Amino acid sequence: MKIVIIGGTGLIGSKLADKLRQLGHEVIAASPRTGVNTMTGEGLADALAGAQVVVDVANSPSFEDGPVMSFFQTSGQNLLAAEAAAGVGHHIALSVVGTERLLASGYFRAKLVQEELIKAAPIPYTIVRATQFFEFISSIAHAGTRGQAVHLSSVLMQPIAAEDVASALVDIALAGPIHGMVELAGPEAIRLDEIVRRYLRATGDERTVETDPNTGYFGTAVNDQSLTPGEQPLLGKTPLDAWLKSVAIKK
């Protein structure tokens, strides 16, 4: 098949592109770097010509409320209109577990708008809501750092390796649209403060973790159901400790 990956040069997109090419599919890794811009529409028609499947794993360059809403709304509208014109048969979008439970955050309000645009469009679709990636643990630690201490809540999470997200998206891209949503999570539920504590230890980082239930998640109030999947999610294979070993080896 011809499969177009929007955000195809990013963390998930590049892994997904490699896996699909190894299976013999024609893959277009679409991003502004490759001349395809969903915000302006530049290059979209050419990229989508003859495509059977589109996988949208693009993320907003800004997480500020106004720009992030503009990104997901505008790019979503442009992409879906171009897909309808090209006769695309399956639209897959990567979203976030807990989106509807985190609407105090402008980012999650924008992701919900993206999902609603997909549901209202004529293209058959699958929405894949994933939990947080292991690869963003460093950013979470950075955001919570004050001095030599990382202030985090002990909220329950079920993070997943980017490699496992890409593998799941391969299976979903090669299957038919479900006209609905699936959830994707890591194999184990772990509390956020413990995740970061283990990450710092594995990478030789001397910062300490201080548990503070009032910090929320990037400033948004959360509970143990906010960032964890519902019943019967698709599960990745990589546990946190195995991923941490690979990170420690690279360092």
Side-chain angles (χ1 to χ4, degrees), residues 65 69 99 102-114:
D65 286 4
M69 179 63 77
T99 289
L102 297 164
L103 296 181
S105 160
Y107 180 85
F108 290 101
R109 290 196 296 272
K111 290 299 289 184
L112 191 62
V113 165
Q114 180 193 30

Side-chain angles (χ1 to χ4, degrees), residues 59-60 62-73 95-96 98-115 217-221:
N59 207 355
S60 172
S62 170
F63 287 2
E64 296 293 325
D65 286 4
V68 75
M69 179 63 77
S70 176
F71 177 83
F72 283 116
Q73 193 165 43
S95 192
V96 187
T99 289
E100 80 287 358
R101 299 189 289 272
L102 297 164
L103 296 181
S105 160
Y107 180 85
F108 290 101
R109 290 196 296 272
K111 290 299 289 184
L112 191 62
V113 165
Q114 180 193 30
E115 292 184 3
Y217 184 67
F218 289 101
T220 300

Side-chain angles (χ1 to χ4, degrees), residues 90-135:
H90 188 185
H91 176 95
I92 301 162
L94 184 61
S95 192
V96 187
V97 162
T99 289
E100 80 287 358
R101 299 189 289 272
L102 297 164
L103 296 181
S105 160
Y107 180 85
F108 290 101
R109 290 196 296 272
K111 290 299 289 184
L112 191 62
V113 165
Q114 180 193 30
E115 292 184 3
E116 293 303 322
L117 286 171
I118 293 165
K119 293 174 184 176
I123 302 100
Y125 71 91
T126 302
I127 294 171
V128 183
R129 283 187 173 180
T131 54
Q132 185 59 275
F133 309 150
F134 289 150
E135 286 76 5

